[in-house]
Amino acid sequence: DYRVADAVVSNEFLNLEGDKISTSRDYAVWVDEYLTAFPADPLRYYLTAIAPETADADFSWKQFQQRNNGELADNLGNFIQRNLTFCKKYFDGKVPGIDAPTPAGLEVLKEMEATRQEMTELLDDFHFKAALDRLMRLSQKGNQYFAEEEPWKSRKTDMAACARTMHVGLKIVEALGVLM
């Protein structure tokens, strides 16, 4: 009546600032101490991003800060903030309806679906790091789409075009939330 494991997930070693982690030498990142100063999610993000899946990896506080500021805040956070703030300000906090997306919007929506499919396959195969990379590429694509469509300009001259941009952008925000 025992179930035999059908997958065993393992990693290589994680070092700290170029040296082996050692609890006996008190050389480690102690989660309870970390959590008194910082929220858990940035650490989860960074550990997933540098996971030693196929080779040893190094935890660096400088890189931790750079990746959180550059990837989480500047890429993902900025994209979500821009879309939600714009939606609240110009569409009463509701996702605007559209008749049909533009070709650029369709391309981004296809990218969103491809991301979902690829992430599903990667996660099923325990490739967490690659799945996270794929998620962040979708966020970058969303930022690029938002910048190219310039809804801050179209809202002054063509609210329908602005609504199309916001509809697609908010669909990506929703997808990112689900995929995370």
Side-chain angles (χ1 to χ4, degrees):
D1 292 340
Y2 292 102
R3 180 167 182 222
V4 177
D6 50 19
V8 176
V9 181
S10 66
N11 286 313
E12 301 294 328
F13 291 100
L14 180 63
N15 296 314
L16 174 60
E17 301 286 356
D19 199 2
K20 290 183 180 181
I21 292 174
S22 170
T23 56
S24 63
R25 290 186 298 134
D26 196 29
Y27 191 72
V29 176
W30 301 103
V31 176
D32 60 334
E33 292 175 11
Y34 170 90
L35 291 174
T36 63
F38 305 105
D41 287 338
L43 183 61
R44 286 186 186 116
Y45 174 80
Y46 182 62
L47 288 174
T48 302
I50 66 160
E53 293 178 341
T54 58
D56 290 358
D58 190 56
F59 184 105
S60 156
W61 284 110
K62 183 174 181 160
Q63 188 182 43
F64 170 80
Q65 182 181 19
Q66 288 173 341
R67 291 192 82 150
N68 275 274
N69 290 342
E71 295 169 12
L72 279 181
D74 293 346
N75 175 6
L76 184 65
N78 184 49
F79 175 68
I80 293 169
Q81 177 69 18
R82 290 167 83 186
N83 277 274
L84 295 181
T85 301
F86 205 91
C87 177
K88 182 178 180 182
K89 188 171 183 178
Y90 299 109
F91 294 96
D92 296 322
K94 295 179 176 60
V95 178
I98 60 169
D99 49 3
T102 63
L106 282 173
E107 179 185 326
V108 174
L109 292 172
K110 286 179 187 175
E111 178 78 13
M112 183 181 74
E113 180 56 28
T115 298
R116 186 195 62 75
Q117 290 175 354
E118 287 175 41
M119 282 186 67
T120 298
E121 292 169 14
L122 290 165
L123 291 172
D124 284 348
D125 291 335
F126 307 105
H127 297 293
F128 305 113
K129 187 175 179 177
L132 180 61
D133 288 342
R134 188 63 181 94
L135 176 92
M136 295 308 286
R137 284 201 322 267
L138 176 61
S139 179
Q140 289 169 337
K141 186 76 170 177
N143 270 313
Q144 179 184 0
Y145 172 77
F146 191 91
E148 289 173 357
E149 294 298 309
E150 302 178 321
W152 57 92
K153 288 184 180 177
S154 63
R155 76 161 185 85
K156 296 176 185 174
T157 58
D158 186 355
M159 268 316 261
C162 180
R164 281 191 293 274
T165 300
M166 293 312 305
H167 182 89
V168 170
L170 292 165
K171 285 290 201 188
I172 296 167
V173 168
E174 176 186 37
L176 289 168
V178 170
L179 293 170
M180 282 188 272

